[in-house]
Amino acid sequence: MTVLEDRIAMADADANNLSLDEWFERLERMPVPEGYRVEIVGANVYMTPQRSTHWGIIRRIVRALEDRFGMDAAVFSDVRIDFPGHDNGFCPDVALLKDAAEEDDRGHWRYQDVEFVAEVISQGTAVNDYGPKRLAYAEAEVPVYLIADPYQGRCHVHTDPKDGDYTTCTRVDFGTDVDLTGTVVDLVLKTDDFPRD
């Protein structure tokens, strides 16, 4: 099939009849520019470019997790995990899974094994990170959800998921330590070098 035929097939397909696997298979055949990530949020496809600011924050969060848990920890960036809700195939900027996490029979990681998620805000998809993704992570009972916003120069730490939302949100300005002791990640995240946009 050509790219044009694939696009026509996607446009003609009834979204209710396609599984997330089928959507991602079709998206993988399309010419997504290098440096972009693709995810599905509430049955909508989003392609987001990764900027150097974005990656700089992701790298610092991953490094802090690896310093705390070791290089063999199940820490991922931009790896698909399907979350509760209508067609939510997310590719979190950073995800930490339980030590005992294993892929399911389709080769996907289970959302039930996610202990920590971090998203770095991009202008085009900020509404997803603050809205539907926050609610999906809470529904999945991810214990800690961190949003790093380089436009505000602030982190938003969501904890204590209950009834489909987080009951606690702590805001911490860049340059101030994010105290995650007492949570599943049990570390202090330094934000002094988090770049801003």
Side-chain angles (χ1 to χ4, degrees), residues 117-165:
V117 168
E119 296 285 5
V120 181
I121 295 298
S122 296
Q123 282 184 329
T125 58
V127 69
N128 290 336
D129 295 331
Y130 282 113
K133 288 173 93 173
R134 185 194 81 236
L135 296 176
Y137 292 145
E139 182 69 29
E141 298 185 354
V142 173
V144 181
Y145 173 39
L146 174 94
I147 299 173
D149 191 328
Y151 301 99
Q152 294 179 2
R154 179 176 295 146
C155 290
H156 304 258
V157 182
H158 297 276
T159 55
D160 305 316
K162 185 177 181 184
D163 298 328
D165 203 352

Side-chain angles (χ1 to χ4, degrees), residues 28-42:
E28 285 174 7
R29 291 194 302 263
M30 296 182 79
V32 176
E34 184 147 348
Y36 280 71
R37 75 173 181 162
V38 177
E39 61 184 353
I40 300 172
V41 179

Side-chain angles (χ1 to χ4, degrees), residues 25-78:
E25 284 174 20
R26 289 174 182 222
L27 289 166
E28 285 174 7
R29 291 194 302 263
M30 296 182 79
V32 176
E34 184 147 348
Y36 280 71
R37 75 173 181 162
V38 177
E39 61 184 353
I40 300 172
V41 179
N44 295 299
V45 177
Y46 293 89
M47 286 194 325
T48 312
Q50 192 171 81
R51 302 169 335 279
S52 58
T53 301
H54 197 90
W55 174 241
I57 294 172
I58 292 169
R59 199 178 98 235
R60 284 166 174 79
I61 295 170
V62 168
R63 179 71 181 265
L65 291 170
E66 288 176 344
D67 287 349
R68 168 72 178 88
F69 295 102
M71 291 296 293
D72 293 329
V75 178
F76 299 105
S77 180
D78 291 340

